[in-house]
Amino acid sequence: MTSLLIEQFTCRQDNFGVILHDPLTGETASIDAPDASRITDRLGDGGWKLSHLLITHHHPDHVEGIPALVESYSPKVIGPEAEAGKISGLTQTVGDGDSFEFAGRTVKVISTPGHTAGHICFYIPDESLLFAGDTLFALGCGRLFEGSPEDMYGSLARLAELPDETRVYCGHEYTQSNARFAVSVDPDNQTLAKRSKEIDELRSKRLPTLPTTIGFEKRTNPFMRTGDPAIRKQLGMESASDVEVFSELRRRKDSF
């Protein structure tokens, strides 16, 4: 089995589009549908036909392209069962623990509430790939528009259980601003400091900072390191619970 080809590209203001293509079967998937024209252009560049749309959550910047892509390609549109009433055009709904096949590979569904109440992530074990939508970002996590700190903390804890080598694709290019905040609450983390400099160099050249990996996020992402003594000391929360530390980190990031 050959590896999937992955095309990542920016669209809208700071969204990422991601297209997966299997050279053997020809099956091609888009992760979310932020911009139909950009996705169509990329499909045309590869000479590919869209067979699947995998939708992580209902926010407009992730679903607005569905109608045009369905009209052009008639793909399977797979999205969260818990948000089916908010997403038009779904042909299949899935929830936590469900799985389905794409290009001969099993795609596992992980429920990750927090950013929205019904947010899901797509995990392809055979390829060590996670499509995290707006749950996990490089050095950050999504804002809590519909869920609680407990929800998002639990969601990130579940993703942290995936193998360290899992490559993570996210919905937005937020890494530079996330890095500045991460350094502010974890100033002595040398791995983070080095990564922050690399990120600045990449963005100065307008290059993407993704994908990241689960293992790297566990070493550098403060939202996945709520038990770290250095972060707790920096926050003055040495005896707080992990959820309390997470909540304070999210509060500070919201106004950073």
Side-chain angles (χ1 to χ4, degrees):
M1 181 182 292
T2 59
S3 296
L4 295 172
L5 300 178
I6 304 176
E7 288 282 334
Q8 177 182 252
F9 50 95
T10 55
C11 53
R12 302 175 69 100
Q13 182 176 351
D14 52 33
N15 281 72
F16 274 121
V18 179
I19 294 174
L20 313 180
H21 175 73
D22 179 40
L24 293 181
T25 66
E27 290 190 37
T28 305
S30 174
I31 308 300
D32 289 322
D35 185 326
S37 62
R38 289 280 286 146
I39 293 169
T40 298
D41 288 346
R42 286 304 182 108
L43 291 168
D45 290 344
W48 303 335
K49 182 181 185 298
L50 189 69
S51 59
H52 294 71
L53 262 177
L54 309 184
I55 306 299
T56 61
H57 66 292
H58 70 82
H59 282 164
D61 62 323
H62 291 257
V63 303
E64 281 186 349
I66 292 176
L69 292 170
V70 167
E71 182 176 355
S72 297
Y73 300 102
S74 300
K76 295 179 181 178
V77 186
I78 303 172
E81 183 176 11
E83 298 186 356
K86 299 179 179 180
I87 305 173
S88 298
L90 295 180
T91 62
Q92 181 179 345
T93 60
V94 290
D96 189 48
D98 289 342
S99 62
F100 57 92
E101 294 298 307
F102 168 73
R105 297 157 175 85
T106 298
V107 181
K108 296 186 176 182
V109 178
I110 304 172
S111 175
T112 54
H115 183 65
T116 66
H119 195 295
I120 58 175
C121 296
F122 297 100
Y123 173 50
I124 307 179
D126 288 345
E127 300 277 337
S128 296
L129 283 172
L130 176 72
F131 299 99
D134 286 3
T135 294
L136 172 63
F137 295 122
L139 303 180
C141 71
R143 285 179 178 265
L144 306 183
F145 288 116
E146 297 176 9
S148 67
E150 290 83 0
D151 289 333
M152 183 64 93
Y153 173 79
S155 294
L156 295 178
R158 293 192 69 189
L159 298 183
E161 294 175 354
L162 298 176
D164 283 356
E165 65 270 20
T166 304
R167 290 172 291 158
V168 182
Y169 287 84
C170 314
H172 294 270
E173 179 60 274
Y174 290 162
T175 315
Q176 193 169 39
S177 61
N178 286 345
R180 291 171 183 152
F181 173 74
V183 169
S184 77
V185 296
D186 195 11
D188 297 324
N189 186 330
Q190 295 305 306
T191 302
L192 172 60
K194 180 181 178 182
R195 175 61 170 153
S196 182
K197 292 180 181 179
E198 292 171 348
I199 289 163
D200 286 340
E201 292 176 3
L202 288 170
R203 296 310 296 152
S204 71
K205 300 173 185 176
R206 301 180 67 84
L207 295 173
T209 62
L210 294 172
T212 182
T213 66
I214 289 293
F216 198 76
E217 292 308 302
K218 285 160 66 174
R219 296 194 298 274
T220 57
N221 188 329
F223 294 98
M224 299 185 81
R225 302 176 57 242
T226 55
D228 185 89
I231 292 177
R232 286 169 166 260
K233 183 177 180 180
Q234 185 72 19
L235 298 177
M237 301 182 71
E238 290 92 334
S239 61
S241 70
D242 284 337
V243 172
E244 288 170 337
V245 172
F246 173 86
S247 183
E248 177 63 13
L249 288 168
R250 187 64 260 177
R251 186 191 69 79
R252 293 190 182 202
K253 179 62 170 66
D254 288 344
S255 59
F256 184 73

